[in-house]
Amino acid sequence: MERRNPANLDEVVAVVPLSTRDEVREAIAAAKAAFPAWRDTPAPLRGRIIAKAAALMTEQKDEVARILTHEEGKVFRNP
């Protein structure tokens, strides 16, 4: 599937595969199977894992902002 820049429909921003029904079902089954272990993980450890994910996103926030604004057809101005 092509994702086009809405400000310039001639520009393809990304090409991504679409998932099949079976792939979606497998992903749902994997999430359901993983949930009990996550639920049983002590809250402090879950918090550290989520904090690490947040830190990684913060480290890459400018790049993520550029990608998202480009995909949305907007202008990115770095403050």
Side-chain angles (χ1 to χ4, degrees):
M1 175 177 159
E2 291 182 347
R3 176 69 175 127
R4 294 183 177 272
N5 178 347
N8 176 6
L9 294 177
D10 292 332
E11 180 184 5
V12 176
V13 176
V15 178
V16 296
L18 294 177
S19 298
T20 65
R21 284 180 189 256
D22 287 340
E23 289 170 328
V24 172
R25 287 184 181 118
E26 288 174 20
I28 292 168
K32 284 182 178 180
F35 179 69
W38 177 253
R39 180 188 58 215
D40 294 341
T41 300
L45 179 54
R46 286 194 315 249
R48 285 195 297 273
I49 293 167
I50 292 170
K52 173 131 185 175
L56 290 170
M57 287 189 287
T58 299
E59 288 173 14
Q60 299 175 27
K61 70 181 177 184
D62 289 339
E63 181 63 16
V64 171
R66 272 193 287 283
I67 291 168
L68 290 175
T69 53
H70 187 168
E71 178 184 6
E72 295 166 358
K74 298 178 181 176
V75 176
F76 177 75
R77 290 197 170 86
N78 198 353

